[in-house]
Amino acid sequence: FYYSNCSTQLTSGYGFFGPGCAGTLGVSRNVATTQPRLGTTMTVAVNNLPVNAALMMTGFSKTTSILGALPLSTTPYGAPGCFLRVSPDANLLILGAGNTANWNLTVPNVVALVGVLMHNQAVVLDPGFNALGAVLSDATGMMIGL
């Protein structure tokens, strides 16, 4: 499933737009268990977490960030082969169990939010795997809808 940035039905969507990089348990994926709809709480499960923890980044851009143009190679930071694909505008530590953690987003019931695009990517904590001690999940995009 790929999300679209144009909808005539005002529907919500969530989908993949860029690959992550493998860590100890392979590539972590972000899977929406509920959609980003007005007046609801959207939930995204992040899997393949070696220490049951990740930093979920949410941003309004997938082309630019405070760190420069995206995607941005994280090789200079100690994570060769990984790319930051999301502007880290808001970040939240998520903790879980069984190698999975959930990220929740409460979407206010505000009609002006319909059609807003946001993007997610998780920094997956993986101590000892590389110099950074982390890898990056797949990158996903979401559109708020009714």
Side-chain angles (χ1 to χ4, degrees):
F1 171 74
Y2 288 85
Y3 76 97
S4 170
N5 61 8
C6 180
S7 174
T8 56
Q9 289 87 25
L10 305 177
T11 56
S12 60
Y14 189 87
F16 170 93
F17 78 81
C21 53
T24 302
L25 298 180
V27 177
S28 293
R29 311 232 185 272
N30 303 334
V31 180
T33 56
T34 58
Q35 293 293 310
R37 293 189 178 104
L38 293 185
T40 67
T41 298
M42 175 189 180
T43 300
V44 174
V46 183
N47 65 12
N48 296 337
L49 303 178
V51 295
N52 298 312
L55 181 69
M56 180 61 90
M57 298 180 295
T58 304
F60 290 103
S61 180
K62 64 178 186 173
T63 58
T64 62
S65 76
I66 60 170
L67 302 172
L70 299 173
L72 176 71
S73 172
T74 58
T75 298
Y77 305 102
C82 293
F83 290 88
L84 177 67
R85 300 181 184 282
V86 172
S87 178
D89 299 328
N91 307 295
L92 181 68
L93 178 66
I94 56 173
L95 303 173
N99 304 111
T100 300
N102 290 326
W103 174 77
N104 297 305
L105 175 68
T106 301
V107 182
N109 194 12
V110 176
V111 176
L113 295 176
V114 172
V116 169
L117 293 173
M118 292 188 289
H119 308 68
N120 288 115
Q121 188 174 26
V123 178
V124 177
L125 305 181
D126 199 348
F129 183 77
N130 55 28
L132 182 62
V135 293
L136 295 166
S137 74
D138 284 346
T140 51
M142 69 182 98
M143 178 185 285
I144 296 175
L146 298 176

